[in-house]
Amino acid sequence: MTTATQTNADLFARAQAAIPGGVNSPVRAFRSVGGTPRFLVSARGPYVTDAEGREYVDLVAGWGPAILGHAHPEVIAAVQEAAARGLSFGASTPVETELAELIEQRVAPIEKLRLVSTGTEATMSAIRLARGFTGRDLLVKFSGHYHGHSDGLLAEAGSGLATFALPGSAGVPADVAALTLVVPYNDLDALRAVFAEHGDRIAAVITEAAAANMGVVPPLPGFNRALVELAHAHGALVISDEVLTGFRVSKAGWWGLEAETDAAYTPDLVTFGKVVGGGMPVAALGGRTEIMERLAPLGPVYQAGTLSGNPVAVTAGVTTLRLADDAVYARLDEVAALLQREVSAALAAEGVAHVVQTAGNLFSFLFGDAVAGGARDYAGVLAQESWRYPPFFHAMLEAGVSLPPSVFEAWFVTAAHDDAAVSRILDALPAAARAAASARPPHL
């Protein structure tokens, strides 16, 4: 048990003695920004509170799922009621079907859905299913896209790996890694070249619907549609990873935004996480019936999980999605647009060259003249002056605003970010922008 008198530093020292690196997910270690991680003990609305009792306006939002704000009263009440009936049954429950039906109603390409516990599990299962359906082995992914930490998916991945500048991970056999072909994002010519050489061996292309794990890098107009057309022309499937964008950038995720334009496309499989669990460990993969029915018990592709469809977690997801109405998405968009403008204005006032990268209401910032035109791929993201972010981050943190602890992450707002919370963010910006302006490269 912790007490109010324990400091974040004390807690981190204790955690490091018991947990590798003191964290259970690498980005939490603050290695990218330096300093001591904050140990959070509670959250409500747009705020989180650390073990020292300090409150912060939160722009991490649980990495996405807190679209309603933290500890929404109706979600908490539903979860408490579900928990009182039992934590886990290891059997089917009615609420599993309710969540599947809600997702299928929102995203037309999904005819059948399988619930799992994490985004990594969802993408891993989708890849196995694609290979089982096509009878092929090769997978194509894009440099900088992150699809979880399963073997074969970590080459040139974003998020934590971009933070640590690692090209992959130890412990992945070379023979496994060789089954993944990595190409630059938003580069159709490179993708065509890969299909020209390996087309009859490629099972699927996996892509973030809009990249948000190397900072936010949206697909070029028509890219996703062209990707689907190219893959299908060679008998390959397309797995659209909406773990970050799904049900956050619109009621139907990024696919829903593009479905309203002439860039409409239909992926074969879609993966979800984060929001579908309302902040609890739930994820999903879904797609066409003929593909999904290759999963056991109907087909030969095995996938299972004792905690899949956990009744308490699924209840949180169902309640969150039902409450996420048009007004919620309008507020997310409004606050995101406001912060983009104000952060940009503060940086510009201090002469900090930068560009705002957006995908719906997800956004991030690139620093430096070298990226003034924006980034369209991982190489473009890496060209920025990333050393300007740590002082910016810490200035915001000292002012009571919690940002993602890496320049390679998206910023997330919630519908609970009211005028008071937004004002606290705006008040913190001038000093943070000055800190970014005065930053110097680490080698100087």
Side-chain angles (χ1 to χ4, degrees):
M1 297 290 290
T2 61
T3 67
T5 58
Q6 287 185 292
T7 67
N8 290 301
D10 290 338
L11 290 169
F12 192 40
R14 178 182 172 188
Q16 287 175 298
I19 302 169
V23 295
N24 285 307
S25 190
V27 74
R28 301 175 191 173
F30 275 34
R31 294 288 183 88
S32 175
V33 293
T36 302
R38 301 305 189 257
F39 280 67
L40 302 184
V41 296
S42 66
R44 183 167 299 277
Y47 304 106
V48 295
T49 302
D50 70 12
E52 298 177 12
R54 188 172 186 192
E55 182 182 80
Y56 306 85
V57 182
D58 185 30
L59 288 171
V60 179
W63 301 107
I67 57 174
L68 304 175
H70 293 287
H72 189 284
E74 291 184 57
V75 176
I76 296 301
V79 167
Q80 290 173 333
E81 185 179 324
R85 294 193 293 268
L87 297 180
S88 183
F89 307 137
S92 298
T93 68
V95 72
E96 292 176 273
T97 306
E98 290 181 38
L99 182 56
E101 290 172 342
L102 276 174
I103 294 172
E104 289 162 11
Q105 289 165 9
R106 286 186 174 216
V107 186
I110 297 179
E111 298 172 349
K112 292 287 179 69
L113 186 91
R114 174 65 60 88
L115 295 178
V116 294
S117 297
T118 68
T120 291
E121 189 181 358
T123 55
M124 177 186 72
S125 300
I127 291 164
R128 181 183 300 164
L129 179 56
R131 285 173 168 152
F133 183 80
T134 62
R136 300 172 176 182
D137 294 335
L138 295 184
L139 176 75
V140 177
K141 74 174 291 288
F142 295 106
S143 178
H145 284 210
Y146 179 71
H147 305 288
H149 60 271
S150 61
D151 288 359
L153 283 178
L154 291 175
E156 296 188 53
S159 194
L161 286 170
T163 298
F164 295 115
L166 298 174
S169 172
V172 176
D175 289 347
V176 173
L179 295 175
T180 301
L181 306 174
V182 182
V183 299
Y185 186 44
N186 276 323
D187 190 336
L188 286 174
D189 287 338
L191 192 61
R192 291 186 186 102
V194 166
F195 270 106
E197 185 174 355
H198 304 285
D200 60 350
R201 300 175 57 212
I202 296 173
V205 179
I206 186 168
T207 181
E208 290 187 64
N213 281 282
M214 53 180 172
V216 174
V217 181
L220 294 176
F223 177 78
N224 283 334
R225 180 180 61 186
L227 160 63
V228 170
E229 292 171 351
L230 181 59
H232 287 176
H234 289 270
L237 304 183
V238 173
I239 303 168
S240 182
D241 182 347
E242 293 235 25
V243 167
L244 286 182
T245 54
F247 311 118
R248 167 160 274 279
V249 299
S250 83
K251 294 180 75 171
W254 186 262
W255 174 86
L257 293 180
E258 292 203 306
E260 299 173 357
T261 73
D262 59 3
Y265 60 98
T266 302
D268 301 287
L269 293 168
V270 187
T271 59
F272 299 103
K274 316 290 187 186
V275 177
V276 296
M280 297 192 73
V282 179
L285 62 147
R288 300 202 315 266
T289 297
E290 64 175 320
I291 301 173
M292 293 300 296
E293 290 190 345
R294 295 292 182 94
L295 287 173
L298 295 179
V301 179
Y302 193 73
Q303 182 277 329
T306 299
L307 295 177
S308 296
N310 173 271
V312 180
V314 171
T315 295
V318 167
T319 309
T320 297
L321 287 185
R322 286 180 173 163
L323 290 170
D325 57 16
D326 291 341
V328 164
Y329 289 102
R331 183 59 181 172
L332 294 175
D333 292 345
E334 178 185 8
V335 175
L338 173 62
L339 293 184
Q340 291 164 31
R341 291 194 304 269
E342 295 299 325
V343 174
S344 183
L347 291 171
E350 296 298 329
V352 178
H354 69 283
V355 64
V356 187
Q357 300 265 130
T358 65
N361 53 48
L362 295 180
F363 60 99
S364 64
F365 297 88
L366 298 173
F367 297 90
D369 290 319
V371 292
R376 54 178 281 174
D377 56 20
Y378 191 32
V381 170
L382 293 179
Q384 70 175 306
E385 296 174 349
S386 58
W387 40 268
R388 292 194 183 276
Y389 187 74
F392 180 87
F393 168 87
H394 280 289
M396 294 294 284
L397 194 65
E398 287 304 310
V401 180
S402 176
L403 301 180
S406 170
V407 74
F408 298 104
E409 300 287 359
W411 295 28
F412 299 90
V413 301
T414 81
H417 277 76
D418 56 15
D419 292 345
V422 171
S423 292
R424 287 175 58 174
I425 298 170
L426 301 188
D427 289 344
L429 289 176
R434 288 193 295 272
S438 63
R440 294 294 180 267
H443 59 278
L444 294 181

